[in-house]
Amino acid sequence: MLKLSKLTDYAAVIMAQIARDPDQAHTASELAARVKLPHPTVGKTLKMLAKSGLLESRRGSHGGYVLSRSPADITASDLIAAIEGPIGMTECSHADGECGLLDSCGVADNWQRVSQAIRTLLDGVTLAHLAQSSPLKLPVQLPIQSVTLPTASGALREH
Amino acid sequence: MLKLSKLTDYAAVIMAQIARDPDQAHTASELAARVKLPHPTVGKTLKMLAKSGLLESRRGSHGGYVLSRSPADITASDLIAAIEGPIGMTECSHADGECGLLDSCGVADNWQRVSQAIRTLLDGVTLAHLAQSSPLKLPVQLPIQSVTLPTASGALREH
DNA sequence: GTAAAGAGGACTAAAATGGTCCTATATGGC
DNA sequence: GCCATATAGGACCATTTTAGTCCTCTTTAC
């Protein structure tokens, strides 16, 4: 369903918590309590975020995690990539991907373009946006297809 | 990785095949041969597409599948929804979704907006687009964030 | 009647995911 | 130096999801 994994979801919630109080280090235990998730799970998530460079960690007593850069400079793409790896809709979205069906496929290029569009969209959403409690007006809500594409009736809107 | 399932991928390839020759019925065997995938798998995919109304089927001898409407009226959203169910990035993207963490979450609304933006984007991509063999110029390639959003450095571009 | 086709569902195998736990290492305070 | 507090880094298992196959039934053209 084009869904984020639970861990990515947790990551977003945790990062938003940190972003709302960016000037001090946060421990896994503290965040687990605030977010109401089990400590081991939160710990794992934090480790992944640190490993991919979105958080900086300090070990030992009085340790914890801080953002490695401003919330406005951390994108949704970054979060997703940190937990789930490279974003791409299909196997062949990646440069080295070989599906062996390229000749009979005929849609690979176009899916890649769609992937790219989604990446671009997610690059435009920052942690600062996500952490906002006030309703966020995303520009991307524009009905893109009506701007430049001719057709697309858009039936089956019960998604 | 925000990835489509393999079956959705197959569905797109199969639908594109049909879209390129929309005036006659196509059997599962024929499509399996053309797409170079095992017959049972292609059959299953076709059944799902038919069940969700994107294909119409005729049984019996000389039977097969035809598009239920024009390729320009079948969207990427439709394809994905047919195979994977409703599109949504998080559990709580759905109306009835209850994650029990709503109070401590604080990002649900914003993720929903992002989900909506992706849906809109996918609504703008049609089967006609996907089936085009010539490079498709998607309007959505515009760097959306630079149009209206201030920040987003977009590091980690190795996606 | 027979052959060709889809409908529907049961079933299995494999892979991804979520979650926990253990040991090692770093840091600060006493 | 020692101890308490943290993270680092894996190993590990349970569960769920996904992919793929197969079987039986129904429909239809000839």
Side-chain angles (χ1 to χ4, degrees), chain A residues 136-154:
Chain A
L136 166 61
K137 272 263 172 57
L138 271 189
V140 287
Q141 286 181 286
L142 300 170
I144 293 170
Q145 80 276 25
S146 73
V147 174
T148 43
L149 287 186
T151 51
S153 80

Side-chain angles (χ1 to χ4, degrees), chain B residues 47-62:
Chain B
K47 282 181 223 171
M48 287 194 263
L49 291 166
K51 199 167 182 180
S52 68
L54 301 184
L55 291 176
E56 270 164 18
S57 63
R58 204 169 58 234
R59 293 209 212 178
S61 171
H62 295 216

Side-chain angles (χ1 to χ4, degrees), chain A residues 84-132:
Chain A
E84 313 191 13
I87 299 174
M89 296 187 74
T90 61
E91 292 296 341
C92 38
S93 302
H94 314 301
D96 55 344
E98 280 307 321
C99 65
L101 297 171
L102 273 179
D103 46 342
S104 54
C105 172
V107 300
D109 280 356
N110 294 328
W111 271 134
Q112 287 198 30
R113 275 165 231 278
V114 176
S115 275
Q116 182 54 53
I118 292 182
R119 267 194 295 270
T120 300
L121 192 157
L122 292 172
D123 282 343
V125 178
T126 70
L127 179 57
H129 292 137
L130 289 177
Q132 275 177 28

Side-chain angles (χ1 to χ4, degrees), chain B residues 86-111:
Chain B
I87 298 175
M89 296 187 74
T90 61
E91 292 297 340
C92 39
S93 302
H94 314 299
D96 56 344
E98 280 307 323
C99 65
L101 297 172
L102 273 179
D103 45 342
S104 54
C105 171
V107 300
D109 280 356
N110 293 329
W111 270 134

Side-chain angles (χ1 to χ4, degrees), chain A residues 57-108:
Chain A
S57 64
R58 203 169 58 234
R59 294 208 210 180
S61 171
H62 296 215
Y65 295 91
V66 290
L67 297 181
S68 65
R69 50 186 194 268
S70 144
D73 287 335
I74 294 175
T75 69
S77 297
D78 295 337
L79 287 179
I80 295 171
I83 308 291
E84 313 191 13
I87 299 174
M89 296 187 74
T90 61
E91 292 296 341
C92 38
S93 302
H94 314 301
D96 55 344
E98 280 307 321
C99 65
L101 297 171
L102 273 179
D103 46 342
S104 54
C105 172
V107 300

